[in-house]
Amino acid sequence: MDLLNTLVDKGLRREVPSREEALAVLATSDDELLDVVAAAGKVRRQWFGRRVKLNYLVNLKSGLCPEDCSYCSQRLGSKAEILKYTWLKPDEASQAAAAGVAGGAKRVCLVASGRGPTDKDVDRVAKTIDAIKTQNEGVEVCACLGLLSDGQAERLRGAGADAYNHNLNTSEATYGDITTTHTYADRVDTVQKAHAAGLSACSGLIAGMGESDADLVDVVFGLRELDPDSVPVNFLIPFEGTPLAKEWNLTPQRCLRILAMVRFVCPDVEVRIAGGREVHLRSMQPLALHIANSIFLGDYLTSEGQAGKADLDMIADAGFEVEGTDQVTLPEHRAGGGCGSVCSSDEAPAGAAEEVPEARTDLVAVRRRGAGTDLAPNA
């Protein structure tokens, strides 16, 4: 396909595709899917070889969030039967993190529900970061605590945090349909604060919330403008008890197209397959490794992932290798800047409607192990 040849050439040159080209990737047919994966794989291998970075989530504080994000099982008013607990102590969080590091994780992601941290919360997380880094030499720590106030990113950086995650989630045009207690601009501001403080910015999206192809392209181009080092691609887990419980809109093929579009738009950025990987990609997960260069090991915030050993076996079976702590994730040139400016163009015609998949609630398991419980973590 001329489209894919063009996208590969642009990806190898770190040149931004047009919106029309990004939309065309999402509109490709199932017959073209392997060609799309192969093309995105060429770009992935150019900048990241066959390495897969493993990240491990530690949910420091679960549930009871005052925000009303429709996709979230921890949201205000959620009836999802998830684990709910207050802040883990630093030694408890460090113990949970150690399990992930022992399983091969290079980065530990510390997440807490809530609108944003108080200064006391930042102090608490600083102690947790110190405990984790003291016990696990070479590990990266990423904090994800919500909206940041002035000076908090600098304090986290001073405490030893390497990165900060705050996702845009969806396009600016549709953001108000998903969340009303904060704005898209609030999220952009927090990512910019992390950048300015010298933290590696991590910001991504959630696909499968009923958005259009144009919405997906909008949010990915918005992410490119922010220039994060890491872009997690989440696939909605439609938890029972949340407003989006009936939004089973994704197929494995659709997920692969979305990942490929992200790779073409941000070719030299760490693209991470995040929440919903097992639920929506299912047996197609190994193919996704040809596009993305990063995954979460084990469980997620409030849902269970596949066994950590299964993740490691999948990586090896697909011919990839786990990235070590002595290896640098990003290409050398990323230290001097990111993807570059964004080009825009008219939208491409919408593709043919895809078959609506059946709800697979049997694949969604509420997390009952690891942080906040007496049971061993999945790593």
Side-chain angles (χ1 to χ4, degrees):
M1 293 175 65
D2 289 342
L3 168 68
L4 296 179
N5 290 333
T6 298
L7 288 169
V8 170
D9 288 344
K10 287 186 174 182
L12 299 183
R13 297 195 306 268
R14 294 184 287 128
E15 181 181 336
V16 64
S18 67
R19 279 181 51 86
E20 182 178 57
E21 288 165 340
L23 284 162
V25 173
L26 297 178
T28 52
S29 70
D30 285 352
D31 288 343
E32 298 165 321
L33 184 60
L34 288 180
D35 293 331
V36 172
V37 172
K42 290 180 181 178
V43 179
R44 180 246 202 267
R45 290 191 299 276
Q46 168 70 19
W47 303 116
F48 300 97
R50 304 192 70 84
R51 305 188 310 277
V52 177
K53 183 174 183 176
L54 298 182
N55 308 268
Y56 191 73
L57 286 163
V58 177
N59 196 352
L60 297 177
K61 181 167 72 76
S62 182
L64 307 175
C65 182
E67 302 297 289
D68 68 353
C69 307
S70 298
Y71 51 81
C72 185
S73 59
Q74 304 183 76
R75 74 187 297 271
L76 178 69
S78 170
K79 293 180 172 57
E81 296 180 356
I82 61 169
L83 287 169
K84 298 181 178 69
Y85 52 86
T86 189
W87 288 94
L88 295 181
K89 296 177 181 177
D91 62 327
E92 294 173 325
S94 182
Q95 184 177 2
V101 173
K106 179 178 179 178
R107 172 174 288 189
V108 171
C109 304
L110 302 176
V111 187
S113 63
R115 179 178 178 84
T118 64
D119 288 341
K120 182 179 179 181
D121 292 336
V122 173
D123 291 338
R124 188 194 322 262
V125 174
K127 294 176 182 177
T128 299
I129 294 170
D130 180 66
I132 291 172
K133 291 211 160 190
T134 298
Q135 296 178 30
N136 301 279
E137 184 179 356
V139 71
E140 298 175 4
V141 175
C142 178
C144 177
L145 311 174
L147 300 172
L148 293 176
S149 301
D150 289 344
Q152 290 184 328
E154 288 78 7
R155 291 177 60 197
L156 288 168
R157 181 72 180 118
D162 300 284
Y164 195 84
N165 166 261
H166 201 61
N167 295 329
L168 296 188
N169 291 327
T170 193
S171 69
E172 185 173 14
T174 59
Y175 198 83
D177 298 332
I178 298 298
T179 306
T180 66
T181 47
H182 59 268
T183 66
Y184 181 92
D186 291 332
R187 288 187 171 266
V188 169
D189 178 69
T190 285
V191 178
Q192 291 173 335
K193 281 184 168 72
H195 254 314
L199 291 165
S200 175
C202 174
S203 188
L205 65 143
I206 304 174
M209 298 190 290
E211 70 283 335
S212 66
D213 284 1
D215 291 324
L216 284 170
V217 170
D218 282 348
V219 69
V220 175
F221 273 63
L223 287 165
R224 178 164 176 138
E225 284 188 293
L226 282 176
D227 192 28
D229 291 324
S230 307
V231 176
V233 180
N234 294 276
F235 301 111
L236 177 71
I237 301 177
F239 267 98
E240 292 294 330
T242 65
L244 299 184
K246 305 303 180 185
E247 295 288 341
W248 288 88
N249 302 313
L250 297 171
T251 63
Q253 295 82 0
R254 171 75 168 168
C255 294
L256 289 171
R257 291 187 191 96
I258 292 168
L259 287 168
M261 186 268 287
V262 175
R263 172 58 72 200
F264 288 131
V265 175
C266 288
D268 58 345
V269 168
E270 177 192 338
V271 176
R272 185 181 310 159
I273 318 170
R277 164 167 62 93
E278 298 88 341
V279 175
H280 296 294
L281 279 163
R282 302 193 283 276
S283 62
M284 304 276 270
Q285 290 180 70
L287 271 182
L289 294 178
H290 290 271
I291 305 171
N293 62 296
S294 178
I295 65 171
F296 281 112
L297 175 74
D299 293 337
Y300 301 96
L301 296 178
T302 61
S303 65
E304 293 183 352
Q306 68 185 18
K309 185 179 185 305
D311 286 336
L312 298 176
D313 289 344
M314 175 181 70
I315 291 168
D317 291 346
F320 294 91
E321 61 181 24
V322 173
E323 185 174 288
T325 56
D326 60 337
Q327 295 176 296
V328 177
T329 300
L330 296 171
E332 186 177 354
H333 66 263
R334 287 285 303 171
C339 292
S341 60
V342 177
C343 303
S344 62
S345 64
D346 295 334
E347 296 182 8
E354 296 185 8
E355 182 180 353
V356 178
E358 64 174 327
R360 291 297 306 274
T361 56
D362 58 303
L363 295 176
V364 181
V366 173
R367 181 174 68 83
R368 303 291 186 193
R369 59 195 176 195
T373 76
D374 295 327
L375 300 179
N378 174 18

